[in-house]
């Protein structure tokens, strides 16, 4: 499968949303967001319904990364929020998931530590992605 169209479309969307949000991410964090959006470009079932249950089953860096990504999407897009949770629930859960992803590797993964610290900045940029992603999907997938 050729991921290049997804990466290109995701890069354009993230750059535009970064500019509109007036949040300046460095290249490493931009690249993470671009690849996260590209990885989930065709995934209509993202994020999972009950993220906290996924946390209990997580064992690997990839498991925790997926949970962090799910929390980032829910926090930014305000989708599938669990009732009876605090406003910062997904931010805190996502930060914890990325921190666990960082610790699941030796040496500790600096990128995931940074994502945990910069979660709210990434969420602000990602907030503008959803409407553009829907129209980009139609173009790329047609």
């Amino acid at each position: 499968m050729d991921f290049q169209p997804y990466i290109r479309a995701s890069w354009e969307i993230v750059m535009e949303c970064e500019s509109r949000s007036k949040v300046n991410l460095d290249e490493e964090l931009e690249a993470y967001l671009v690849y996260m959006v590209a990885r989930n470009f065709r995934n209509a079932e993202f994020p999972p319904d009950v993220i906290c249950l996924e946390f209990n089953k997580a064992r690997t860096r990839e498991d925790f990364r997926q949970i962090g990504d799910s929390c980032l999407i829910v926090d930014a897009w305000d989708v599938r929020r669990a009732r009876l949770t605090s406003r910062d629930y997904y931010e805190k859960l996502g930060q914890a998931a990325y921190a666990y992803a960082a610790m699941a590797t030796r040496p500790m993964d600096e990128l995931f530590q940074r994502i945990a610290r910069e979660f709210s900045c990434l969420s602000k940029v990602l907030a503008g992605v959803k409407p553009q992603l829907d129209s980009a999907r139609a173009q790329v997938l047609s």
Side-chain angles (χ1 to χ4, degrees):
M1 174 179 232
D2 181 18
F3 284 98
Q4 197 60 36
Y6 305 122
I7 294 169
R8 186 178 312 113
S10 298
W11 181 83
E12 290 170 1
I13 292 168
V14 168
M15 294 304 107
E16 185 177 328
C17 292
E18 184 178 0
S19 176
R20 265 194 277 130
S21 70
K22 296 183 179 18
V23 174
N24 295 316
L25 302 174
D26 65 32
E27 288 180 8
E28 191 174 40
L29 293 176
E30 284 174 353
Y32 185 83
L33 270 186
V34 167
Y35 282 96
M36 185 189 83
V37 171
R39 252 191 324 273
N40 295 288
F41 206 90
R42 297 178 65 164
N43 189 355
E45 297 302 314
F46 188 77
D49 287 333
V50 186
I51 298 170
C52 63
L53 296 179
E54 299 297 317
F55 206 96
N56 290 334
K57 295 186 268 179
R59 297 291 177 261
T60 67
R61 180 182 86 123
E62 183 64 19
D63 293 342
F64 289 114
R65 184 205 49 81
Q66 186 78 32
I67 293 166
D69 289 355
S70 296
C71 289
L72 191 55
I73 294 281
V74 171
D75 189 63
W77 294 352
D78 210 20
V79 295
R80 295 188 189 176
R81 284 189 174 269
R83 293 178 298 157
L84 307 175
T85 60
S86 64
R87 186 76 188 137
D88 65 349
Y89 173 80
Y90 290 98
E91 179 180 0
K92 298 298 183 201
L93 187 61
Q95 288 172 323
Y98 285 126
Y100 274 90
M103 292 185 290
T105 59
R106 295 291 177 247
M108 195 175 294
D109 191 316
E110 280 291 319
L111 175 60
F112 287 119
Q113 284 183 313
R114 290 190 57 227
I115 294 170
R117 284 192 310 269
E118 301 292 333
F119 188 95
S120 63
C121 291
L122 292 167
S123 181
K124 286 176 188 169
V125 172
L126 195 59
V129 168
K130 187 173 183 355
Q132 293 187 13
L133 183 59
D134 292 338
S135 66
R137 277 185 183 135
Q139 290 175 346
V140 171
L141 298 177
S142 60

